[in-house]
Amino acid sequence: MELKEIYDQVSKRYGSVAKSSTGHYEQAIAKAFGYTEEELAGVPEGANLGLSCGNPVALARLREGETVIDLGSGAGFDVFTAAKRVGLTGKAIGVDMNKNMIDKANANKAHTTASNVLFIESAITSIALPDSTADCIISNCVINLVPAVEKQLAFNEIFRLLKPGGRVAISDILARKEFTEEMKKNISLYVGCVAGASQVSEYDAFLKNAGFNGILVADSKNDLNVYRTAAEDKPSTSGIDAIREEQDALFCCSAETRKTCCKLDEKESCCGTKTSTCACQTRTSSMGDEAKTMASRLDIRDLNEWAGSFHVYAVKPTTI
């Protein structure tokens, strides 16, 4: 896959995710990867988009007064959690390349009193912040989305932004064995945080090449199949949602494509047009959708056989 194609597809997919969330799936995913009820209750509604593969805030051991940067901050889930840990004397900065995500995060911020939170629209390989800005940098299931040829740039940027003695705490999906060529070329699996996953040895090398010490890359042993099972366990819709889904099928889609049809609202007919027919759009996908893709198209029933959720921790030396 070409570099531009990867970034375009990742941006398109996550820009779409930023516009919707249902609650049940997102909560189930967060709990499966270590978030507590208290943490979930402490973030604005809509901040949790069900995109986690771990809890880097728990790994980071943040302290009062620290500055923390979240790479690939999405709607602000980990930023708002981190902001509570560092307190008003600290600062929590979210960085995301997707404008829809930044807009969503700022909208969520408007519903809080979090004066120590800032969101920046930027690629995580080059961020307009000074050297030695942060005491800690976190990231949650995002670095695997950076194309292989630019992954080292992301780790170099992390190193640059950390203060001497600063630490990086990452939750990410890493490969347990070499992917097939078919898997590597599947863009759906790539944007689903699977096909772009590095090997453990590669991750270790990225950190060492950037200059880090005290490197720990540990398998969390969490079950990646939760992405699929959580989607399957989602409660059925009722009331107005059920009516709209019937309208989607009637006015938008054939039987083969109705599952990807867009939602109606009270003011407009399907896809934002004023007509009774329209071209179907691709509905927001979740990591559960990508897990199903692996199962159905590539005959891969157990995600854990191929990849895992890993905790990654490293320290920037105090002297270089």
Side-chain angles (χ1 to χ4, degrees):
M1 290 179 284
E2 296 293 329
L3 193 68
K4 185 178 184 302
E5 179 191 7
I6 292 173
Y7 278 123
D8 285 348
Q9 290 297 326
V10 168
S11 184
K12 181 179 178 181
R13 186 259 170 136
Y14 287 94
S16 177
V17 171
K19 296 177 182 178
S20 66
S21 62
T22 60
H24 175 84
Y25 174 84
E26 290 80 5
Q27 294 281 96
I29 293 300
K31 289 177 182 177
F33 287 109
Y35 288 91
T36 65
E37 292 282 0
E38 182 181 3
E39 286 173 325
L40 293 175
V43 298
E45 183 179 353
N48 173 18
L49 297 176
L51 301 173
S52 302
C53 62
N55 184 350
V57 177
L59 180 63
R61 297 177 180 266
L62 298 172
R63 296 182 287 269
E64 190 88 13
E66 289 191 319
T67 294
V68 57
I69 299 174
D70 179 19
L71 301 186
S73 53
F77 185 28
D78 287 322
V79 175
F80 293 117
T81 304
K84 292 180 181 294
R85 301 286 181 92
V86 300
L88 293 179
T89 58
K91 183 178 289 187
I93 303 170
V95 179
D96 203 288
M97 73 173 186
N98 192 283
K99 185 179 185 302
N100 286 345
M101 284 293 191
I102 294 296
D103 289 346
K104 175 87 168 178
N106 280 318
N108 289 331
K109 178 184 173 181
H111 294 290
T112 74
T113 57
S115 60
N116 61 341
V117 166
L118 172 68
F119 293 103
I120 298 173
E121 183 181 346
S122 171
I124 65 172
T125 53
S126 180
I127 304 167
L129 287 171
D131 294 356
S132 302
T133 293
D135 298 283
C136 184
I137 291 179
I138 61 173
S139 187
N140 195 344
C141 216
V142 168
I143 294 178
N144 60 66
L145 293 170
V146 177
V149 296
E150 293 200 339
K151 275 192 170 69
Q152 186 63 61
L153 296 178
F155 288 96
N156 293 348
E157 189 70 346
I158 291 171
F159 190 86
R160 181 186 73 82
L161 290 173
L162 280 173
K163 299 174 182 178
R167 61 213 185 272
V168 56
I170 298 171
S171 294
D172 212 357
I173 290 179
L174 302 185
R176 288 203 170 106
K177 61 182 182 180
E178 188 70 23
F179 294 145
T180 66
E181 287 303 311
E182 185 179 8
M183 291 171 68
K184 291 178 181 178
K185 293 176 181 178
N186 190 306
I187 191 65
S188 178
L189 297 184
Y190 196 100
V191 300
C193 300
V194 176
S198 302
Q199 300 283 334
V200 172
S201 59
E202 293 175 318
Y203 226 86
D204 186 74
F206 289 138
L207 289 162
K208 285 180 179 176
N209 291 340
F212 284 100
N213 289 338
I215 298 168
L216 171 67
V217 182
D219 193 335
S220 69
K221 306 296 184 181
N222 285 318
D223 182 11
L224 293 192
N225 293 316
V226 69
Y227 295 121
R228 185 181 69 249
T229 57
E232 291 170 349
D233 291 342
K234 180 180 173 182
S236 59
T237 55
S238 60
I240 187 64
D241 287 334
I243 293 171
R244 288 176 182 169
E245 287 192 359
E246 287 186 26
Q247 290 173 323
D248 284 347
L250 287 171
F251 294 114
C252 288
C253 303
S254 64
E256 291 78 17
T257 59
R258 68 181 58 172
K259 288 185 179 180
T260 61
C261 196
C262 58
K263 286 283 188 182
L264 289 171
D265 61 33
E266 289 83 1
K267 296 180 180 179
E268 296 180 334
S269 59
C270 188
C271 300
T273 68
K274 299 297 183 181
T275 60
S276 60
T277 60
C278 73
C280 288
Q281 296 178 344
T282 302
R283 178 175 288 169
T284 298
S285 63
S286 68
M287 291 178 73
D289 297 320
E290 277 77 44
K292 291 177 182 178
T293 297
M294 291 188 79
S296 62
R297 296 183 186 176
L298 304 178
D299 196 30
I300 296 171
R301 305 296 169 178
D302 184 6
L303 278 171
N304 302 304
E305 177 186 350
W306 293 89
S309 167
F310 282 74
H311 298 312
V312 181
Y313 187 87
V315 179
K316 180 175 180 176
T318 54
T319 58
I320 301 173

